[in-house]
């Protein structure tokens, strides 16, 4: 019997999922979005969260916040409304409890989402995180990679979206944060504006190193039986697969307007969605609501990426972003 | 928390807009039968499932009624499109389930099975409407450890009544109330509390009922109550179901749905 030669293998290199976001290298572009991943604990119990590119932790304010009254959640077609209202334990508890706990289970730079009622609040949270991380740095590498400035939360009366819908106010918050940190500053933008590029440009001019687009769309549901709004807060932020085209459009517009990287966020639920976002020019992506419906959503998307990249003949994800920016 | 695909073993209509579904676990013998002292998958009465349904975006949280080694029984009301669709599902169809979720009732105060404290304990269980199912699992658990609970079941009307016989089969003393008087005592569950001797309290039902029960029961008596909230995720990530307690904010899906009576803020 003639011994067959070893099967001929076509030399293939694994698709390259690595990206760089504001100078920080990531093994893949998939981050969990702020407000859908807590401070990582719940998901670390389910899978090794080190496989994430990174994640943006829960919007953090100077003082603890309970948030809005319940109901805070409403079902929608291909999406959901939330009016949580930035419930968080406050920056001091985040530094003393959440970050040390996170260090046990996550060994990559995390994105810190900061929020407040006035520019000084944002500056205070940023400064405290910056100082805590610098002290931390002496022992090991920095835990916080980026500061994400939440100027787009629709669920708080003061701060949040109030800043993100006015170019001057947005710039004032970015400047306040910029002065307190050497880390890359990312402005998370609201889609609830006439022209998102105007806000994006204002943030860039004020010193932002990157943009996240988009936060939730302001929405509302009414209960037919009670004839009252479903949400105790009347209105809330709409997210989920239904908003993906809106997010993609915003990313596309921003990438053609600003010279800083844009993180695509809104309705991403598959590896295909990730590619589409990056073809629009996104340098990285955030997965939000999908985590709430399927706690393994990010893991699934990351594991699917190489296969889907091969399917569409993509060798390296960074090429998609670069090509989109050339056009 | 586990994410499993479960198979519908049976489904039947119990009462007005009320269905009982038995789900087959993916692995035989995955659960500890209630009568077995050793525990494989730790599960407590009061815990819940979060079920993904075609055509709905968010999962539907539904409390666990009871369980065997291989099955979970749930009882749910058809309150919207999602649960209505679920009620039309057939034996053999599959559901994507996150489970077991929530803290469940804490029965550690009931001591060793067969002990003197067990036979002397006089817990009162109160279930209202969709709050009845978790009371059944709790009742069975108590009976199996030698406790004889008293049970009050409250419904709107005779057409809504379910599981009265099942509770009685367990050996529990059952008092039935309906708001219109079409079955049992006319009135609310609180109208049946007078004259009952009890030394601890367990309740599940609409929040207004829970509050009324709390006001009626002797101050300071130990008790646990299970709360319902609209949830986003069901496992503590979204902060959608938070509630205030005397010991700070708690997530109904993780630190609840069962709260100690002494920590509840009405």
């Amino acid at each position: 019997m003639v011994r067959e030669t070893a099967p001929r293998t076509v030399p293939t290199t694994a698709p390259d999922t690595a990206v760089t976001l504001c100078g920080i290298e990531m093994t893949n572009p998939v981050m969990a979005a702020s407000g859908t991943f807590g401070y990582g604990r719940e998901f670390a119990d389910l899978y090794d969260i080190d496989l994430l590119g990174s994640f943006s932790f829960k919007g953090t304010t100077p003082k603890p916040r309970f948030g809005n009254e319940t109901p805070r959640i409403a079902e929608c077609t291909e999406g959901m409304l939330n009016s949580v209202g930035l419930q968080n334990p406050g920056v001091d508890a985040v530094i003393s409890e959440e970050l040390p706990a996170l260090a046990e289970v996550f060994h990559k730079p995390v994105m810190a989402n900061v929020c407040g009622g006035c520019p000084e609040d944002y500056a205070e949270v940023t400064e405290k995180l910056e100082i805590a991380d610098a002290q931390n740095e002496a022992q090991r590498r920095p835990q916080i990679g980026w500061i994400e400035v939440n100027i787009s939360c629709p669920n708080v009366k003061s701060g949040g979206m109030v800043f993100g819908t006015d170019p001057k106010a947005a710039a004032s918050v970015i400047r306040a944060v910029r002065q307190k940190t050497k880390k890359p500053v990312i402005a998370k933008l609201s889609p609830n504006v006439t022209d998102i590029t105007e806000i994006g440009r204002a943030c860039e001019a004020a010193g932002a190193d990157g943009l996240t687009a988009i936060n939730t769309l302001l929405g509302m549901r009414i209960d037919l039986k009670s004839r009252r709004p479903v949400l105790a807060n009347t209105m809330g932020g709409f997210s989920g697969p239904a908003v993906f085209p809106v997010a993609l459009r915003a990313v596309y517009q921003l990438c053609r307007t600003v010279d800083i990287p844009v993180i695509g966020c809104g309705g991403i639920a598959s590896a295909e969605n990730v590619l589409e976002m990056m073809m629009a020019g996104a340098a990285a992506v955030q997965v939000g609501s999908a985590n709430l419906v399927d706690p393994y959503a990010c893991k699934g998307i990351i594991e699917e990426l190489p296969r889907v990249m091969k399917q569409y003949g993509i060798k390296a994800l960074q090429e998609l972003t670069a090509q989109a920016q050339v056009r | 928390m586990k994410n499993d695909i479960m198979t519908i073993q049976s489904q039947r209509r119990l009462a007005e807009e009320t269905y009982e579904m038995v789900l087959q676990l993916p692995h035989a013998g995955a659960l500890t039968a209630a009568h077995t002292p050793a525990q494989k998958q730790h599960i407590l009465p009061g815990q819940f499932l979060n079920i993904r349904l075609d055509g709905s975006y968010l999962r539907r949280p539904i409390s666990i009624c009871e369980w065997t080694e291989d099955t979970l029984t749930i009882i749910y009301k058809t309150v919207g499109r999602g649960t209505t669709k679920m009620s039309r599902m057939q034996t053999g169809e599959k559901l994507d389930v996150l489970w077991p979720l929530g803290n469940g009732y804490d029965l550690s105060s009931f001591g060793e099975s067969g002990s003197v404290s067990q036979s002397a304990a006089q817990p009162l269980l109160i279930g209202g409407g969709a709050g009845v199912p978790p009371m059944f699992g709790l009742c069975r658990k108590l009976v199996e450890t030698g406790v004889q609970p008293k049970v009050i079941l409250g419904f709107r009307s005779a057409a809504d009544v379910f599981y009265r016989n099942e509770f009685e089969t367990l050996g529990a003393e059952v008092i039935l109330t309906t708001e219109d008087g079409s079955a049992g005592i006319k009135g609310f569950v609180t109208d049946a509390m007078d004259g009952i001797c009890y030394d601890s309290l367990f309740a599940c039902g609409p929040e207004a009922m829970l509050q009324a029960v709390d006001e009626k029961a002797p101050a300071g008596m130990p008790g646990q109550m299970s709360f319902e909230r609209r949830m986003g995720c069901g496992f503590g990530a979204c902060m959608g179901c938070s509630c205030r307690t005397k010991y700070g904010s708690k997530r109904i899906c993780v630190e609840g749905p069962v709260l100690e009576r002494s920590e509840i803020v009405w």
Side-chain angles (χ1 to χ4, degrees):
Chain A
M1 205 172 98
V2 181
R3 199 186 173 92
E4 276 185 49
T5 52
R8 225 183 292 166
T9 51
V10 182
T12 53
T13 45
D16 180 9
T17 59
V19 298
T20 304
L21 181 61
C22 304
I24 299 172
E25 287 176 11
M26 295 161 66
T27 53
N28 67 71
V30 180
M31 316 173 86
S34 180
T36 65
F37 215 75
Y39 296 91
R41 287 187 200 197
E42 288 73 22
F43 294 86
D45 288 343
L46 301 176
Y47 64 88
D48 177 9
I49 62 172
D50 270 339
L51 64 81
L52 296 172
S54 182
F55 76 95
S56 181
F57 68 52
K58 178 79 185 149
T60 299
T61 51
K63 296 271 176 295
R65 278 179 62 94
F66 174 74
N68 293 319
E69 294 308 312
T70 55
R72 298 174 173 181
I73 302 287
E75 165 87 22
C76 303
T77 304
E78 285 300 302
M80 62 181 282
L81 288 177
N82 90 82
S83 60
V84 170
L86 291 177
Q87 178 173 359
N88 78 94
V91 67
D92 295 335
V94 168
I95 288 167
S96 64
E97 289 164 37
E98 299 295 346
L99 289 180
L102 179 63
E104 301 294 316
V105 291
F106 189 60
H107 306 90
K108 291 178 169 180
V110 70
M111 187 174 278
N113 188 286
V114 302
C115 199
C118 56
E120 293 73 27
D121 282 355
Y122 288 86
E124 182 187 340
V125 176
T126 303
E127 185 170 33
K128 283 185 170 174
L129 290 171
E130 181 81 11
I131 291 168
D133 212 36
Q135 287 166 351
N136 204 14
E137 224 166 321
Q139 295 150 26
R140 50 180 176 236
R141 59 203 156 64
Q143 193 175 4
I144 295 170
W146 313 260
I147 302 287
E148 183 173 55
V149 189
N150 183 353
I151 50 171
S152 41
C153 177
N155 295 321
V156 287
K157 283 198 188 77
S158 58
M161 204 173 83
V162 174
F163 294 118
T165 51
D166 174 66
K168 281 182 189 152
S172 72
V173 176
I174 298 302
R175 271 195 300 271
V177 170
R178 177 75 285 166
Q179 287 165 8
K180 299 294 183 188
T181 183
K182 296 190 193 77
K183 299 178 190 299
V185 172
I186 314 281
K188 186 166 180 180
L189 303 184
S190 171
N192 306 306
V193 292
T194 311
D195 179 5
I196 197 166
T197 63
E198 192 187 1
I199 312 287
R201 276 196 307 268
C203 291
E204 183 181 31
D209 304 288
L211 305 171
T212 303
I214 52 175
N215 205 318
T216 55
L217 285 82
L218 193 61
M220 180 175 168
R221 296 299 306 266
I222 291 174
D223 179 70
L224 294 180
K225 280 184 190 158
S226 68
R227 305 185 186 187
R228 300 278 310 145
V230 173
L231 298 174
N233 209 38
T234 306
M235 288 175 269
F238 182 45
S239 61
V243 313
F244 180 75
V246 178
L248 189 82
R249 178 270 298 169
V251 168
Y252 182 82
Q253 288 179 318
L254 287 165
C255 287
R256 290 171 166 243
T257 311
V258 299
D259 293 320
I260 49 178
V262 177
I263 304 167
C265 176
I268 294 173
S270 67
E272 285 84 351
N273 289 163
V274 175
L275 298 187
E276 203 175 332
M277 264 303 178
M278 297 188 79
M279 287 175 185
V285 300
Q286 291 181 351
V287 176
S289 306
N291 293 307
L292 307 179
V293 178
D294 172 11
Y296 299 93
C298 282
K299 182 176 190 280
I301 290 170
I302 291 164
E303 287 169 353
E304 272 288 280
L305 260 179
R307 187 190 65 75
V308 180
M309 285 172 71
K310 268 186 191 164
Q311 185 184 341
Y312 292 98
I314 299 159
K315 291 191 181 73
L317 281 181
Q318 303 223 71
E319 288 170 13
L320 293 183
T321 311
Q323 283 164 8
Q325 281 163 353
V326 168
R327 264 179 241 145
Chain B
M1 176 176 82
K2 298 205 298 181
N3 186 189
D4 279 321
I5 304 299
M6 299 186 185
T7 310
I8 299 172
Q9 193 180 76
S10 66
Q11 162 136 268
R12 67 176 173 133
R13 185 181 176 280
L14 285 182
E16 192 69 31
E17 298 178 338
T18 309
Y19 293 81
E20 176 201 73
M21 183 183 271
V22 180
L23 293 167
Q24 177 90 45
L25 299 176
H27 314 291
L31 274 182
T32 307
H35 56 270
T36 317
Q39 299 215 323
K40 295 180 198 169
Q41 169 69 51
H42 191 65
I43 187 164
L44 288 168
Q47 289 188 303
F48 65 94
L49 313 179
N50 213 3
I51 303 177
R52 197 167 191 175
L53 298 168
D54 277 348
S56 298
Y57 185 63
L58 296 170
R59 289 171 183 265
R60 291 293 179 274
I62 296 174
S63 62
I64 297 170
C65 175
E66 67 162 335
W67 61 95
T68 68
E69 281 200 342
D70 309 319
T71 63
L72 287 169
T73 301
I74 55 172
I75 295 171
Y76 62 95
K77 297 207 78 140
T78 49
V79 289
R81 268 196 321 175
T83 39
T84 301
K85 238 178 167 170
M86 193 166 128
S87 72
R88 295 185 187 131
M89 292 181 78
Q90 304 293 317
T91 299
E93 287 192 72
K94 294 181 191 306
L95 288 171
D96 177 332
V97 180
L98 291 176
W99 73 292
L101 302 173
N103 57 354
Y105 288 95
D106 177 7
L107 303 178
S108 57
S109 65
F110 283 94
E112 288 297 305
S113 175
S115 67
V116 180
S117 62
Q118 290 296 92
S119 47
Q122 292 182 308
L124 175 61
L125 276 50
I126 302 178
V132 167
M135 285 299 127
F136 184 73
L138 175 63
C139 184
R140 201 177 74 166
K141 196 88 185 164
L142 288 171
V143 167
E144 280 163 1
T145 53
V147 179
Q148 284 300 314
K150 288 163 186 159
V151 180
I152 302 174
L153 303 179
F155 298 94
R156 267 177 312 195
S157 139
D160 301 305
V161 175
F162 62 88
Y163 261 49
R164 180 189 191 165
N165 294 339
E166 282 81 351
F167 276 94
E168 283 173 346
T169 305
L170 290 179
E173 183 187 319
V174 180
I175 302 168
L176 181 68
T177 68
T178 54
E179 290 171 33
D180 64 2
S182 52
I185 296 170
K186 180 175 168 30
F188 296 107
V189 291
T190 42
D191 296 315
M193 288 169 73
D194 296 310
I196 295 182
C197 211
Y198 58 100
D199 59 11
S200 65
L201 186 67
F202 298 85
C204 184
E207 200 154 322
M209 180 203 98
L210 295 178
Q211 188 171 1
V213 166
D214 183 62
E215 281 164 12
K216 186 110 182 178
M221 179 185 282
Q224 297 174 39
M225 295 185 166
S226 180
F227 287 76
E228 199 175 30
R229 280 282 190 294
R230 270 177 191 269
M231 291 177 187
C233 63
F235 54 90
C238 75
M239 314 305 277
C241 62
S242 300
C243 80
R244 291 187 175 88
T245 75
K246 286 178 187 161
Y247 309 113
S249 157
K250 288 195 172 185
R251 296 165 293 183
I252 287 296
C253 68
V254 176
E255 290 94 21
V258 180
L259 299 181
E260 290 284 341
R261 200 181 158 207
S262 57
E263 66 179 326
I264 297 166
V265 177
W266 297 108

